[in-house]
Structures are given as structure tokens and as C-alpha cells.
Amino acid sequence: MLFSAKSKGYFVEQNDNVIRLARTSAPAAPFVVEEVRECIPDNAAALTAAITQLLPRKSSSGYLHASCGVYPPRRFLRRVTLDPKRLKGPGYFEEILTQQLRVEPAKFVTMVLNAQDGTDFDASKGATQKEVLFGGLPSEEIIATQDALLAKGVYPERLEYGSISTLGGLVNYLSFIKSKTPTLVLEIGLDATNTFIVGSAGVEATRPIPQGLESMIPVVQKELGLKDEESARKLFYSNTFDFTGMGPLLIRKLLKELQSSIGFYEVQTGQSVGLLLSTMLPTKLDWLDSTIAKELGISPLKLDSEPWLGSYGITVAEAAKPVLNAHWFGLLALMARYETATPVAHVVVAEKV
């Protein structure tokens, strides 16, 4: 039976490594997640096929109208401790952006959020709200991202900073299951990795690391004796070779930086990081997640998302069960709409294209 596209909801998450799509029975909860698809960003044919499968009846505009979570390359999200004495002084936030974060304020859409609950920072309450998150996306990359989505057949009705919605969802989830174990969250991109330490009380630490998946390619080439990096790259991103045994060698540089970040956090807080969630990896790189966890001596976060989703009126059909995999959590976080102040995860950076 054909259905009206307007009666359905569509969600898309796009990062360096993967595009994930979902169709829901309604645009807003309560709804059922009916079907999901995953493909790599540069495979236009696979994406077209995925959209066709999710949208059997072509929309009048020819686009898949969706809520989209995106991760532009020059995004930033950093935890900052404010100086209450300087809050009312001129140019304080601009100084933080330019001197601490190395950002040109005029070229970015920025936001300042309370690190504990994700609500907008209120300077009038600065004496009690010193720990904040500075987040931003380059204005030109927002436009470029929207244009790229349109070129792929996706109309972003809502465009969100994926890191914020994902972290907000995770804080909410950890609070829901009453977990008190700090969790290391990794966004492993092509050229860099953004790291966050998150607990049920909010985002507790942030750090960018200049090591990504591409830094592993030369190691693959050398260890396997391949003729060039392109051959190593194709093998690495395929699902035809088991890299588990080579894993510790591939992540050696990244691991050193992660150990440093965790060590600093544990000394500062007296808490031990015990869980890991990698949110941007395609399913075929699951081995990387387990390798990092093993080398750090922590456990991958085993999500039990269904009860949490159920609390927001979201259920998952049998055909959409892959969405319960931990790597899909960013897409799930786009779906749940938080009505209370714990936390306001969804920061809209662009309403219209």
C-alpha cells in the first residue's frame, strides 16, 4: 500500500565516514522506526538506492525531506571554565573564541551552552554557571553542507550540529539508566578525532586530537607491504580483511593521546573512565572500537536503547533493528525531543535552506 510522504518522518546523519538514514511512521514521536539504511558518503548510487527504498513514493519536490545531523570539518565543541569576574566586561567571549579556541567569530555560527544540561548559557547566572560548552560551525560550511545534501537528494528541513545532539542524547540516556560511570566518546573522522568525557551530569571534558582514520593508512601499507596508500585505503575501508590483530599498531599514536586525556581527567576529578562509545564509525569498522577499548582497559558501552526510546514514545520495528547498534546512536539522538531541561540537546543552526 502506498503511503503519503508527509505522513512519515525521515532522519539523516552524515559524517566523514558514513551516511545513515531512517524512516519513521510519523514526523514526530510517538512513532515507529520502520526502516534504516547506511552507505558511505561518496557512493552516490548507493545513497540514491537507499533514498528510493525509504521513499517508495517520490515526493512532489523530488527530495527526501529530513531532519539532519551533520559534522562539518571545522566544527568545534570545547568545554571552557568562565571567569565570573569578566562576564560583564566587553569582548570576553570574543577573546575566548579568538585566543583559546583559535576561531574567527565573524566566520562562525556559535553557541554557548551549560556543560551540565545543554541549556543556553545565561550570563545573569554566571556566578553559578561557570562550566560551559563553546560550540560552533563555520557559516560557509553550513551552506556547503546544505548544498551537498540537496545535491544528494536530501532536503534538510532541520539541520543540527550532530555532536551536540549526540552528546545531549547520551547524557540523557546515562541519566535514564542511572549510570555513574564516565564515558569516553570518540568522533573518529578522517583527519582528526574529537574526544569527550561524558557522565549523567553532563559533558565533563573535551579535547580535539589531530589523529584520524587516514593516519592509519600508511601503517596498513607498510605492515602489509602494499604498493601504495590507495591500495591500503581500499583494503582498510573494505570488509574483506580482519585488522583486529593489527589494531593496536594502527591506533598507537591515537592511543597515546587518549591515554593522556583520560589520565588528566582522572587526576583532576578522582573518577575513572570506564566506558567507550565511538559514534562516527561505519559498522564494518566495529573492530576498531573494540580494539581501542581493550587497549585503554575499558569496556564498549553496551547500549540498551529500546527502554530509553520507549520513554519518548519511540519503538523500533524488526526491520530497523540495526539502528540499535551503538554506532547509530547519533541518529537516535536526532529523534528524541527533550521537553525538560535535562538536557536540551538539539541546537538548530539552520531552519531553512
Side-chain angles (χ1 to χ4, degrees), residues 1 3 8-13 19-26 31-39 46-57 64 66-67 309 314-324 328 331-332 335:
M1 179 178 178
F3 56 77
K8 302 290 179 175
Y10 298 92
F11 296 86
V12 175
E13 184 187 32
I19 297 177
R20 295 188 170 107
L21 310 92
R23 185 183 72 233
T24 59
S25 61
F31 57 56
V32 177
V33 183
E34 297 178 335
E35 199 167 354
V36 296
R37 289 289 184 272
E38 175 184 301
C39 55
L47 180 58
T48 298
I51 291 174
T52 300
Q53 290 162 346
L54 291 179
L55 189 63
R57 184 178 180 181
L64 181 78
S67 297
L309 291 171
I314 300 171
T315 55
V316 181
E318 193 63 34
K321 290 295 184 180
V323 81
L324 298 175
W328 288 71
L331 192 66
L332 294 178
M335 298 178 184

Side-chain angles (χ1 to χ4, degrees), residues 12 21 47 51 63-64 66 68 146 149-156:
V12 175
L21 310 92
L47 180 58
I51 291 174
Y63 291 100
L64 181 78
C68 301
Q146 292 179 143
L149 285 168
L150 285 169
K152 293 172 180 175
V154 176
Y155 184 98

